[in-house]
Amino acid sequence: MTAKGAPAIDAAGLAQGARLDDKIVIVTGAAGGIGACIAKHFAAAGATLLLADIQADHATAIAQEIAARGGRAASTPVDITDPDSARAMAAIAMRDYGRIDVLVACAGIDAPRGQAWSLADAHWRNVIDTDLSGAWWCAKAVIPSMIRARSGRMIFIGSVAGRRGSLGTSVAYNAAKAGIAGLTFGLARQLEPHGILVNAVAPGPTGNTGEPMTDEEKAREAATYPLGLGGPEPVAHACLYLAGQGGNWISGTVLNVSGGRWQG
Ligand SMILES: NC(=O)c1ccc[n+]([C@@H]2O[C@H](COP(=O)([O-])OP(=O)(O)OC[C@H]3O[C@@H](n4cnc5c(N)ncnc54)[C@H](O)[C@@H]3O)[C@@H](O)[C@H]2O)c1
């Protein structure tokens, strides 16, 4: 730490790339396309992972795949819409590892379809409960131990949908992902004095995870994206950067990982 509390950046660590040796990392949504990709990249960088998902069996299978390649990963069921379940997830990490260095809050309902004039009330509640409140319950669950440790990182997975609408995607999703940006800014401001860095990554459509896209939709999106559809890997790389040495002086940002879809 410097005199003002900013974490020091050590050139040797930077030169090694984004190593996460000895870091304890929770990844929610780890059974899904982006979450599993993040988990595998973090494991390869040396992190010890707790993979949390409502699809517990799938999360366990990803943990076993990581372990088979020599990585360190365990799994736990979580329903992020339930604050008690999020607290139980954090408690398992504390019980088994003694600290939580990084939370990657990736679980969510990806880009549900819907027209504003016909959205069911339950749809709005479900998307906001999962994609916005769910991220908050997970953050809230890890704040106490991170404050005690005077150290931690939170990385939320937002979306380009937090910045722009689309003809097919539900406005509840736009609202939830815009809320992720506000959550990031507010938490960053309040947690930085405690040594905790908070950021979000905002992907464009990966093309091969989450809400399935037709070939026609993929072709249309790819044609309008300067860099094409990138899959989940660019999101994992952005998370690695924010979690590792390179992210030591970065907090309160929403990192645009949209293949050039939006500027800013
Ligand atoms: N796929 C994309 O193109 C894209 C683009 C931008 C942002 N995102 C965001 O990235 C995140 C991951 O998306 P993905 O493409 O991997 O989708 P995915 O559907 O493959 O994965 C989502 C995961 O979240 C889990 N999940 C859903 N509700 C949950 C709950 N209540 N509690 C615990 N786990 C729950 C699911 O079981 C699943 O494993 C989402 O937040 C999504 O909105 C995705």
Side-chain angles (χ1 to χ4, degrees):
M1 289 277 184
T2 66
K4 291 201 93 179
I9 296 177
D10 121 43
L14 276 179
Q16 281 180 32
R19 291 300 307 171
L20 295 176
D21 300 304
D22 304 325
K23 298 294 182 195
I24 307 299
V25 181
I26 297 177
V27 179
T28 72
I34 294 177
C37 184
I38 292 169
K40 289 173 190 174
H41 278 70
F42 275 43
T48 297
L49 291 146
L50 182 61
L51 308 186
D53 203 290
I54 202 163
Q55 298 187 71
D57 291 350
H58 288 177
T60 301
I62 302 290
Q64 286 168 346
E65 193 184 327
I66 288 171
R69 290 186 197 165
R72 284 180 298 276
S75 64
T76 182
V78 70
D79 177 356
I80 61 166
T81 65
D82 174 0
D84 287 334
S85 182
R87 275 189 284 272
M89 171 188 75
I92 286 167
M94 291 304 290
R95 181 197 68 196
D96 292 350
Y97 306 114
R99 62 178 203 281
I100 300 162
D101 297 307
V102 182
L103 166 70
V104 182
C106 181
I109 301 168
D110 177 53
R113 315 272 172 147
Q115 303 299 311
W117 50 90
S118 58
L119 284 191
D121 297 351
H123 168 97
W124 175 272
R125 289 204 172 94
N126 189 29
V127 174
I128 298 294
D129 274 359
T130 309
D131 287 347
L132 178 55
S133 304
W136 161 240
W137 298 130
C138 294
K140 185 168 190 245
V142 303
I143 286 173
S145 65
M146 286 188 178
I147 285 185
R148 276 198 304 279
R150 293 202 54 76
S151 170
R153 306 251 171 128
M154 293 184 198
I155 303 167
F156 298 109
I157 306 301
S159 171
V160 70
R163 289 282 294 269
R164 54 181 293 155
S166 86
L167 290 174
T169 301
S170 159
V171 295
Y173 187 70
N174 299 120
K177 293 300 187 180
I180 288 292
L183 181 63
T184 301
F185 303 144
L187 278 176
R189 187 73 189 90
Q190 294 194 351
L191 295 179
E192 281 157 11
H194 298 276
I196 302 164
L197 309 184
V198 184
N199 293 289
V201 173
T206 61
N208 57 6
T209 70
E211 177 69 23
M213 293 167 79
T214 64
D215 288 344
E216 196 186 358
E217 285 169 330
K218 278 188 200 171
R220 194 174 56 233
E221 293 288 351
T224 56
Y225 273 59
L227 303 179
L229 299 173
E233 287 81 7
V235 185
H237 285 289
C239 292
L240 257 185
Y241 170 62
L242 291 170
Q245 285 261 344
N248 276 9
W249 214 51
I250 300 175
S251 187
T253 194
V254 177
L255 187 55
N256 171 4
V257 184
S258 70
R261 175 67 161 189
W262 104 59
Q263 288 74 46

